[in-house]
Amino acid sequence: ARGLAEGLALGPRLIHGGKALSQTGGHGDLRPLGDDSAPCCENRPNFARIADGVDAVRAAARDEFRKGAAHLKVLLSGGVASPHDEIAAVQYSEEEVRTAVEEADNHNRYVTVHAYHPRAIDRALRAGVRCVEHGNLIDDATVDLLLERDAFLVPTLIAYERTAELGRQAGLPESSHRKLTEVRDHGLAALEKAHRAGVNLVYGSDLLGPLHSAQLEEFTLRAQVQPAADVIRSATSTAARLLRMEGEIGTLAPGAHADLLVIDGDPLADLTALTHPQRHLRHVVKAGTVL
């Protein structure tokens, strides 16, 4: 991220959250079940670091902000890619989550959480979390809480579609396939429920490694239940509000960064103008420079 910001490398404007926080045995604890060694969280090549208890969560949050994180991600439920925890499991106590939120607020940052189930999502929202990633199993009460707290929801539907297609050949265990089916079957309905209620929806993909090439297919999935304009807002103006960068990105306005896609077509009439760049993309502009 620093290299991009300083112009040392060519790439997009990158707003990163550092390493996610996971409890022992949580979604980010990828040690084999027979491994009793203490995790070396800060330096190991992993997407998360393990922090248990209020003091450890506080220290880990401060360290991620020290290293430049623009927000903090906390893992609050089981996940598809972590084979040994249940989707409905709640990870982290409310006191630990509140501690992460307090530290984020002290640094003028915010917390977003990985969570699928209302038990975990509701705990996060009551603790002051700003954003929820995934949220496939939300119910009406959780939708009401999202609205009450003016929080944001980032569905990631394409991740489940692509993982279902390629997971077995990539070695995804059977336990993960069962969880994948559960969240995949409820994802589109959850998106429609949140959209109809007026929840702040942001575009995301959660695609890993070789699956990155499918990220634009999220537009196609969302268009099944959302108008094109709302899908586009989720990737532009609403995303900017989540990042607290409204007026800087995600808009065509004086004083904003001129980060633009110039396309041949009208995505409001046909979203394939965005999902088929080989046919429609003419220019990528970053900060006013045509790349």
Short mmCIF file of all heavy atoms in Angstrom, two decimals, residues 57-114:
data_model
loop_
_atom_site.label_atom_id
_atom_site.label_comp_id
_atom_site.label_asym_id
_atom_site.label_seq_id
_atom_site.Cartn_x
_atom_site.Cartn_y
_atom_site.Cartn_z
N VAL A 57 -6.33 -8.07 22.65
CA VAL A 57 -7.05 -7.44 21.54
C VAL A 57 -6.64 -5.98 21.41
O VAL A 57 -6.41 -5.47 20.31
CB VAL A 57 -8.57 -7.58 21.74
CG1 VAL A 57 -9.34 -6.66 20.78
CG2 VAL A 57 -9.01 -9.02 21.54
N ARG A 58 -6.54 -5.29 22.55
CA ARG A 58 -6.14 -3.88 22.52
C ARG A 58 -4.75 -3.72 21.92
O ARG A 58 -4.50 -2.87 21.06
CB ARG A 58 -6.19 -3.30 23.93
CG ARG A 58 -6.06 -1.78 23.97
CD ARG A 58 -6.06 -1.25 25.41
NE ARG A 58 -7.25 -1.62 26.14
CZ ARG A 58 -8.41 -0.98 26.04
NH1 ARG A 58 -8.55 0.04 25.20
NH2 ARG A 58 -9.46 -1.37 26.77
N ALA A 59 -3.82 -4.57 22.36
CA ALA A 59 -2.44 -4.47 21.87
C ALA A 59 -2.37 -4.80 20.38
O ALA A 59 -1.66 -4.13 19.62
CB ALA A 59 -1.54 -5.41 22.67
N ALA A 60 -3.10 -5.83 19.95
CA ALA A 60 -3.07 -6.21 18.54
C ALA A 60 -3.68 -5.12 17.67
O ALA A 60 -3.16 -4.81 16.58
CB ALA A 60 -3.82 -7.52 18.35
N ALA A 61 -4.79 -4.52 18.13
CA ALA A 61 -5.40 -3.43 17.36
C ALA A 61 -4.43 -2.26 17.22
O ALA A 61 -4.24 -1.71 16.13
CB ALA A 61 -6.69 -2.99 18.04
N ARG A 62 -3.82 -1.89 18.32
CA ARG A 62 -2.86 -0.78 18.27
C ARG A 62 -1.71 -1.08 17.32
O ARG A 62 -1.23 -0.20 16.60
CB ARG A 62 -2.32 -0.50 19.68
CG ARG A 62 -3.36 0.12 20.61
CD ARG A 62 -2.82 0.24 22.04
NE ARG A 62 -3.79 0.90 22.90
CZ ARG A 62 -3.64 1.05 24.21
NH1 ARG A 62 -2.54 0.58 24.81
NH2 ARG A 62 -4.57 1.66 24.93
N ASP A 63 -1.27 -2.33 17.31
CA ASP A 63 -0.15 -2.70 16.45
C ASP A 63 -0.55 -2.64 14.98
O ASP A 63 0.24 -2.20 14.13
CB ASP A 63 0.34 -4.10 16.81
CG ASP A 63 1.67 -4.43 16.17
OD1 ASP A 63 2.57 -3.57 16.18
OD2 ASP A 63 1.82 -5.55 15.64
N GLU A 64 -1.76 -3.09 14.65
CA GLU A 64 -2.20 -3.00 13.25
C GLU A 64 -2.34 -1.55 12.81
O GLU A 64 -1.97 -1.20 11.68
CB GLU A 64 -3.52 -3.76 13.06
CG GLU A 64 -3.38 -5.27 13.20
CD GLU A 64 -2.31 -5.87 12.30
OE1 GLU A 64 -2.22 -5.47 11.12
OE2 GLU A 64 -1.54 -6.72 12.79
N PHE A 65 -2.84 -0.69 13.68
CA PHE A 65 -2.93 0.72 13.32
C PHE A 65 -1.53 1.34 13.22
O PHE A 65 -1.28 2.19 12.37
CB PHE A 65 -3.79 1.48 14.33
CG PHE A 65 -5.24 1.09 14.28
CD1 PHE A 65 -5.94 0.78 15.44
CD2 PHE A 65 -5.92 1.01 13.07
CE1 PHE A 65 -7.28 0.41 15.39
CE2 PHE A 65 -7.25 0.64 13.01
CZ PHE A 65 -7.93 0.34 14.17
N ARG A 66 -0.62 0.89 14.08
CA ARG A 66 0.77 1.36 13.97
C ARG A 66 1.35 1.06 12.60
O ARG A 66 2.09 1.88 12.02
CB ARG A 66 1.63 0.67 15.05
CG ARG A 66 3.13 1.00 14.96
CD ARG A 66 3.94 0.13 15.90
NE ARG A 66 3.98 -1.27 15.48
CZ ARG A 66 4.82 -1.76 14.57
NH1 ARG A 66 5.69 -0.96 13.96
NH2 ARG A 66 4.80 -3.04 14.26
N LYS A 67 0.99 -0.09 12.06
CA LYS A 67 1.54 -0.52 10.77
C LYS A 67 0.77 0.07 9.59
O LYS A 67 1.09 -0.25 8.45
CB LYS A 67 1.56 -2.05 10.70
CG LYS A 67 2.53 -2.68 11.70
CD LYS A 67 2.66 -4.18 11.51
CE LYS A 67 1.41 -4.92 11.94
NZ LYS A 67 1.61 -6.40 11.93
N GLY A 68 -0.24 0.90 9.86
CA GLY A 68 -0.88 1.62 8.77
C GLY A 68 -2.27 1.16 8.39
O GLY A 68 -2.80 1.62 7.36
N ALA A 69 -2.88 0.27 9.16
CA ALA A 69 -4.22 -0.20 8.80
C ALA A 69 -5.22 0.96 8.81
O ALA A 69 -5.25 1.77 9.73
CB ALA A 69 -4.68 -1.27 9.79
N ALA A 70 -6.05 1.01 7.78
CA ALA A 70 -7.07 2.05 7.67
C ALA A 70 -8.35 1.67 8.39
O ALA A 70 -9.23 2.51 8.61
CB ALA A 70 -7.38 2.33 6.20
N HIS A 71 -8.48 0.41 8.75
CA HIS A 71 -9.60 -0.09 9.53
C HIS A 71 -9.14 -1.41 10.15
O HIS A 71 -8.04 -1.88 9.85
CB HIS A 71 -10.85 -0.31 8.66
CG HIS A 71 -10.60 -1.13 7.45
ND1 HIS A 71 -10.24 -0.58 6.23
CD2 HIS A 71 -10.61 -2.48 7.23
CE1 HIS A 71 -10.07 -1.53 5.34
NE2 HIS A 71 -10.29 -2.70 5.93
N LEU A 72 -9.95 -1.99 10.99
CA LEU A 72 -9.58 -3.23 11.66
C LEU A 72 -10.64 -4.28 11.40
O LEU A 72 -11.83 -4.01 11.56
CB LEU A 72 -9.45 -3.00 13.18
CG LEU A 72 -8.97 -4.20 14.00
CD1 LEU A 72 -7.50 -4.49 13.70
CD2 LEU A 72 -9.16 -3.92 15.49
N LYS A 73 -10.22 -5.46 11.00
CA LYS A 73 -11.16 -6.56 10.78
C LYS A 73 -11.06 -7.54 11.95
O LYS A 73 -9.96 -7.91 12.37
CB LYS A 73 -10.86 -7.29 9.47
CG LYS A 73 -11.92 -8.35 9.13
CD LYS A 73 -11.71 -8.89 7.73
CE LYS A 73 -12.80 -9.90 7.37
NZ LYS A 73 -12.63 -10.44 6.00
N VAL A 74 -12.22 -7.93 12.48
CA VAL A 74 -12.30 -8.88 13.58
C VAL A 74 -13.16 -10.06 13.13
O VAL A 74 -14.22 -9.87 12.53
CB VAL A 74 -12.89 -8.22 14.84
CG1 VAL A 74 -12.93 -9.22 15.99
CG2 VAL A 74 -12.07 -6.99 15.23
N LEU A 75 -12.71 -11.26 13.40
CA LEU A 75 -13.38 -12.47 12.95
C LEU A 75 -14.33 -12.96 14.04
O LEU A 75 -13.88 -13.44 15.08
CB LEU A 75 -12.35 -13.54 12.59
CG LEU A 75 -11.26 -13.07 11.62
CD1 LEU A 75 -10.22 -14.15 11.40
CD2 LEU A 75 -11.86 -12.63 10.29
N LEU A 76 -15.64 -12.85 13.79
CA LEU A 76 -16.63 -13.07 14.84
C LEU A 76 -17.44 -14.34 14.69
O LEU A 76 -18.31 -14.61 15.52
CB LEU A 76 -17.59 -11.87 14.90
CG LEU A 76 -17.40 -10.99 16.15
CD1 LEU A 76 -16.04 -10.35 16.16
CD2 LEU A 76 -18.48 -9.94 16.22
N SER A 77 -17.22 -15.11 13.62
CA SER A 77 -17.95 -16.37 13.49
C SER A 77 -17.10 -17.36 12.73
O SER A 77 -16.05 -17.00 12.19
CB SER A 77 -19.29 -16.16 12.77
OG SER A 77 -19.10 -16.05 11.38
N GLY A 78 -17.58 -18.60 12.69
CA GLY A 78 -16.90 -19.59 11.87
C GLY A 78 -16.93 -19.20 10.41
O GLY A 78 -17.66 -18.30 9.99
N GLY A 79 -16.12 -19.89 9.61
CA GLY A 79 -16.06 -19.56 8.19
C GLY A 79 -15.94 -20.80 7.33
O GLY A 79 -15.66 -21.90 7.81
N VAL A 80 -16.15 -20.61 6.04
CA VAL A 80 -16.08 -21.71 5.09
C VAL A 80 -14.67 -22.26 5.01
O VAL A 80 -14.45 -23.47 4.98
CB VAL A 80 -16.59 -21.24 3.71
CG1 VAL A 80 -16.31 -22.32 2.66
CG2 VAL A 80 -18.07 -20.91 3.76
N ALA A 81 -13.68 -21.38 4.96
CA ALA A 81 -12.31 -21.81 4.73
C ALA A 81 -11.64 -22.38 5.98
O ALA A 81 -10.57 -22.97 5.89
CB ALA A 81 -11.48 -20.64 4.20
N SER A 82 -12.24 -22.19 7.15
CA SER A 82 -11.68 -22.75 8.39
C SER A 82 -12.50 -23.98 8.75
O SER A 82 -13.64 -23.84 9.21
CB SER A 82 -11.70 -21.71 9.51
OG SER A 82 -12.97 -21.06 9.58
N PRO A 83 -11.98 -25.17 8.56
CA PRO A 83 -12.82 -26.38 8.60
C PRO A 83 -13.29 -26.81 9.98
O PRO A 83 -14.16 -27.66 10.10
CB PRO A 83 -11.89 -27.45 8.00
CG PRO A 83 -10.51 -26.96 8.25
CD PRO A 83 -10.59 -25.46 8.16
N HIS A 84 -12.76 -26.23 11.05
CA HIS A 84 -13.02 -26.78 12.38
C HIS A 84 -13.95 -25.92 13.24
O HIS A 84 -14.12 -26.19 14.42
CB HIS A 84 -11.70 -26.98 13.12
CG HIS A 84 -10.70 -27.77 12.34
ND1 HIS A 84 -10.96 -29.03 11.84
CD2 HIS A 84 -9.44 -27.46 11.92
CE1 HIS A 84 -9.91 -29.47 11.17
NE2 HIS A 84 -8.98 -28.54 11.20
N ASP A 85 -14.56 -24.87 12.68
CA ASP A 85 -15.50 -24.06 13.46
C ASP A 85 -16.83 -23.97 12.73
O ASP A 85 -16.90 -23.99 11.50
CB ASP A 85 -14.94 -22.66 13.73
CG ASP A 85 -14.43 -21.96 12.48
OD1 ASP A 85 -14.63 -22.48 11.37
OD2 ASP A 85 -13.84 -20.88 12.62
N GLU A 86 -17.91 -23.89 13.49
CA GLU A 86 -19.25 -23.85 12.91
C GLU A 86 -19.59 -22.43 12.45
O GLU A 86 -19.17 -21.45 13.06
CB GLU A 86 -20.28 -24.31 13.93
CG GLU A 86 -20.11 -25.74 14.41
CD GLU A 86 -21.14 -26.11 15.45
OE1 GLU A 86 -22.09 -25.33 15.64
OE2 GLU A 86 -20.99 -27.17 16.08
N ILE A 87 -20.39 -22.35 11.39
CA ILE A 87 -20.83 -21.05 10.90
C ILE A 87 -21.58 -20.28 11.99
O ILE A 87 -21.45 -19.07 12.14
CB ILE A 87 -21.75 -21.23 9.66
CG1 ILE A 87 -20.92 -21.71 8.46
CG2 ILE A 87 -22.47 -19.93 9.32
CD1 ILE A 87 -19.91 -20.72 7.94
N ALA A 88 -22.38 -20.99 12.78
CA ALA A 88 -23.19 -20.34 13.81
C ALA A 88 -22.42 -20.05 15.09
O ALA A 88 -22.96 -19.43 16.01
CB ALA A 88 -24.41 -21.20 14.14
N ALA A 89 -21.17 -20.49 15.17
CA ALA A 89 -20.37 -20.24 16.37
C ALA A 89 -20.10 -18.74 16.51
O ALA A 89 -19.84 -18.05 15.52
CB ALA A 89 -19.06 -21.00 16.30
N VAL A 90 -20.19 -18.25 17.73
CA VAL A 90 -19.85 -16.85 18.01
C VAL A 90 -18.45 -16.79 18.57
O VAL A 90 -18.13 -17.49 19.54
CB VAL A 90 -20.84 -16.22 19.01
CG1 VAL A 90 -20.46 -14.77 19.29
CG2 VAL A 90 -22.26 -16.30 18.47
N GLN A 91 -17.62 -15.98 17.96
CA GLN A 91 -16.23 -15.86 18.38
C GLN A 91 -15.99 -14.44 18.90
O GLN A 91 -16.45 -13.48 18.31
CB GLN A 91 -15.30 -16.20 17.21
CG GLN A 91 -15.52 -17.62 16.71
CD GLN A 91 -14.77 -17.96 15.44
OE1 GLN A 91 -14.01 -17.15 14.93
NE2 GLN A 91 -14.98 -19.16 14.92
N TYR A 92 -15.30 -14.37 20.00
CA TYR A 92 -15.02 -13.14 20.75
C TYR A 92 -16.21 -12.73 21.62
O TYR A 92 -17.36 -12.81 21.22
CB TYR A 92 -14.61 -11.98 19.84
CG TYR A 92 -13.14 -11.98 19.47
CD1 TYR A 92 -12.72 -11.94 18.15
CD2 TYR A 92 -12.18 -12.01 20.47
CE1 TYR A 92 -11.37 -11.94 17.83
CE2 TYR A 92 -10.82 -12.01 20.15
CZ TYR A 92 -10.43 -11.98 18.84
OH TYR A 92 -9.09 -11.98 18.55
N SER A 93 -15.89 -12.30 22.81
CA SER A 93 -16.89 -11.79 23.73
C SER A 93 -17.25 -10.36 23.35
O SER A 93 -16.51 -9.68 22.62
CB SER A 93 -16.35 -11.81 25.17
OG SER A 93 -15.29 -10.86 25.30
N GLU A 94 -18.38 -9.91 23.85
CA GLU A 94 -18.79 -8.52 23.56
C GLU A 94 -17.76 -7.54 24.12
O GLU A 94 -17.49 -6.51 23.51
CB GLU A 94 -20.17 -8.25 24.14
CG GLU A 94 -20.78 -6.95 23.64
CD GLU A 94 -22.28 -6.92 23.75
OE1 GLU A 94 -22.92 -8.00 23.79
OE2 GLU A 94 -22.84 -5.81 23.79
N GLU A 95 -17.17 -7.85 25.26
CA GLU A 95 -16.17 -6.95 25.84
C GLU A 95 -14.94 -6.85 24.95
O GLU A 95 -14.38 -5.75 24.76
CB GLU A 95 -15.76 -7.47 27.23
CG GLU A 95 -14.84 -6.52 27.99
CD GLU A 95 -14.46 -7.06 29.36
OE1 GLU A 95 -14.67 -8.26 29.60
OE2 GLU A 95 -13.95 -6.27 30.18
N GLU A 96 -14.53 -7.96 24.37
CA GLU A 96 -13.37 -7.93 23.46
C GLU A 96 -13.69 -7.11 22.21
O GLU A 96 -12.85 -6.33 21.72
CB GLU A 96 -12.98 -9.36 23.08
CG GLU A 96 -12.32 -10.13 24.22
CD GLU A 96 -12.19 -11.61 23.91
OE1 GLU A 96 -13.19 -12.23 23.46
OE2 GLU A 96 -11.09 -12.15 24.10
N VAL A 97 -14.90 -7.28 21.68
CA VAL A 97 -15.27 -6.52 20.48
C VAL A 97 -15.34 -5.03 20.80
O VAL A 97 -14.88 -4.19 20.02
CB VAL A 97 -16.62 -7.01 19.93
CG1 VAL A 97 -16.99 -6.24 18.67
CG2 VAL A 97 -16.56 -8.51 19.61
N ARG A 98 -15.92 -4.69 21.95
CA ARG A 98 -15.98 -3.28 22.34
C ARG A 98 -14.59 -2.68 22.48
O ARG A 98 -14.36 -1.51 22.16
CB ARG A 98 -16.75 -3.13 23.66
CG ARG A 98 -18.24 -3.34 23.54
CD ARG A 98 -18.98 -2.96 24.82
NE ARG A 98 -20.39 -3.30 24.73
CZ ARG A 98 -21.29 -2.53 24.13
NH1 ARG A 98 -20.91 -1.39 23.56
NH2 ARG A 98 -22.55 -2.91 24.07
N THR A 99 -13.64 -3.47 22.94
CA THR A 99 -12.27 -3.00 23.07
C THR A 99 -11.69 -2.67 21.69
O THR A 99 -11.03 -1.63 21.52
CB THR A 99 -11.41 -4.06 23.77
OG1 THR A 99 -11.91 -4.27 25.09
CG2 THR A 99 -9.95 -3.61 23.84
N ALA A 100 -11.92 -3.55 20.71
CA ALA A 100 -11.45 -3.28 19.35
C ALA A 100 -12.09 -2.01 18.80
O ALA A 100 -11.42 -1.18 18.16
CB ALA A 100 -11.77 -4.48 18.45
N VAL A 101 -13.39 -1.84 19.05
CA VAL A 101 -14.09 -0.65 18.58
C VAL A 101 -13.54 0.60 19.25
O VAL A 101 -13.33 1.64 18.60
CB VAL A 101 -15.61 -0.79 18.84
CG1 VAL A 101 -16.33 0.54 18.57
CG2 VAL A 101 -16.20 -1.89 17.96
N GLU A 102 -13.26 0.52 20.55
CA GLU A 102 -12.72 1.67 21.27
C GLU A 102 -11.36 2.08 20.71
O GLU A 102 -11.09 3.27 20.48
CB GLU A 102 -12.58 1.34 22.76
CG GLU A 102 -12.00 2.49 23.58
CD GLU A 102 -11.77 2.11 25.03
OE1 GLU A 102 -11.83 0.90 25.35
OE2 GLU A 102 -11.53 3.01 25.85
N GLU A 103 -10.51 1.09 20.45
CA GLU A 103 -9.19 1.42 19.90
C GLU A 103 -9.30 2.00 18.50
O GLU A 103 -8.58 2.94 18.15
CB GLU A 103 -8.31 0.17 19.90
CG GLU A 103 -7.76 -0.20 21.26
CD GLU A 103 -6.96 0.92 21.90
OE1 GLU A 103 -6.20 1.61 21.18
OE2 GLU A 103 -7.08 1.11 23.12
N ALA A 104 -10.19 1.44 17.70
CA ALA A 104 -10.39 1.98 16.36
C ALA A 104 -10.87 3.43 16.43
O ALA A 104 -10.37 4.31 15.70
CB ALA A 104 -11.39 1.13 15.59
N ASP A 105 -11.83 3.69 17.32
CA ASP A 105 -12.33 5.05 17.47
C ASP A 105 -11.23 5.99 17.95
O ASP A 105 -11.13 7.14 17.49
CB ASP A 105 -13.51 5.05 18.45
CG ASP A 105 -14.19 6.41 18.53
OD1 ASP A 105 -14.68 6.89 17.49
OD2 ASP A 105 -14.22 6.99 19.63
N ASN A 106 -10.38 5.52 18.85
CA ASN A 106 -9.27 6.34 19.33
C ASN A 106 -8.33 6.73 18.19
O ASN A 106 -7.70 7.79 18.23
CB ASN A 106 -8.48 5.59 20.40
CG ASN A 106 -9.23 5.49 21.72
OD1 ASN A 106 -10.21 6.19 21.94
ND2 ASN A 106 -8.76 4.61 22.59
N HIS A 107 -8.22 5.86 17.19
CA HIS A 107 -7.34 6.10 16.04
C HIS A 107 -8.09 6.71 14.86
O HIS A 107 -7.56 6.78 13.75
CB HIS A 107 -6.67 4.79 15.60
CG HIS A 107 -5.62 4.29 16.54
ND1 HIS A 107 -5.91 3.60 17.70
CD2 HIS A 107 -4.27 4.40 16.50
CE1 HIS A 107 -4.78 3.28 18.33
NE2 HIS A 107 -3.78 3.74 17.62
N ASN A 108 -9.34 7.13 15.08
CA ASN A 108 -10.18 7.66 13.99
C ASN A 108 -10.33 6.64 12.87
O ASN A 108 -10.35 6.98 11.69
CB ASN A 108 -9.60 8.98 13.44
CG ASN A 108 -9.58 10.07 14.50
OD1 ASN A 108 -10.55 10.24 15.23
ND2 ASN A 108 -8.47 10.79 14.59
N ARG A 109 -10.46 5.38 13.28
CA ARG A 109 -10.67 4.29 12.34
C ARG A 109 -11.97 3.58 12.72
O ARG A 109 -12.70 4.02 13.60
CB ARG A 109 -9.50 3.30 12.40
CG ARG A 109 -8.14 3.92 12.11
CD ARG A 109 -8.00 4.31 10.65
NE ARG A 109 -6.62 4.64 10.32
CZ ARG A 109 -6.11 5.86 10.30
NH1 ARG A 109 -6.88 6.89 10.66
NH2 ARG A 109 -4.86 6.08 9.96
N TYR A 110 -12.26 2.46 12.07
CA TYR A 110 -13.47 1.72 12.39
C TYR A 110 -13.20 0.22 12.33
O TYR A 110 -12.14 -0.22 11.86
CB TYR A 110 -14.62 2.08 11.43
CG TYR A 110 -14.39 1.66 9.99
CD1 TYR A 110 -14.79 0.40 9.55
CD2 TYR A 110 -13.79 2.50 9.06
CE1 TYR A 110 -14.60 -0.01 8.23
CE2 TYR A 110 -13.59 2.11 7.76
CZ TYR A 110 -14.00 0.87 7.34
OH TYR A 110 -13.79 0.45 6.04
N VAL A 111 -14.15 -0.56 12.82
CA VAL A 111 -14.04 -2.02 12.84
C VAL A 111 -15.07 -2.62 11.88
O VAL A 111 -16.23 -2.20 11.85
CB VAL A 111 -14.28 -2.58 14.26
CG1 VAL A 111 -14.36 -4.11 14.23
CG2 VAL A 111 -13.17 -2.13 15.19
N THR A 112 -14.62 -3.58 11.11
CA THR A 112 -15.52 -4.41 10.31
C THR A 112 -15.33 -5.85 10.73
O THR A 112 -14.25 -6.23 11.19
CB THR A 112 -15.27 -4.24 8.80
OG1 THR A 112 -16.29 -4.94 8.07
CG2 THR A 112 -13.91 -4.76 8.38
N VAL A 113 -16.39 -6.66 10.63
CA VAL A 113 -16.31 -8.02 11.15
C VAL A 113 -16.69 -9.05 10.09
O VAL A 113 -17.55 -8.81 9.25
CB VAL A 113 -17.22 -8.21 12.38
CG1 VAL A 113 -16.76 -7.34 13.52
CG2 VAL A 113 -18.68 -7.96 12.06
N HIS A 114 -16.02 -10.18 10.16
CA HIS A 114 -16.42 -11.38 9.42
C HIS A 114 -17.49 -12.07 10.25
O HIS A 114 -17.24 -12.47 11.39
CB HIS A 114 -15.20 -12.30 9.23
CG HIS A 114 -15.54 -13.73 8.98
ND1 HIS A 114 -15.54 -14.29 7.72
CD2 HIS A 114 -15.88 -14.73 9.83
CE1 HIS A 114 -15.87 -15.57 7.81
NE2 HIS A 114 -16.08 -15.86 9.08
#
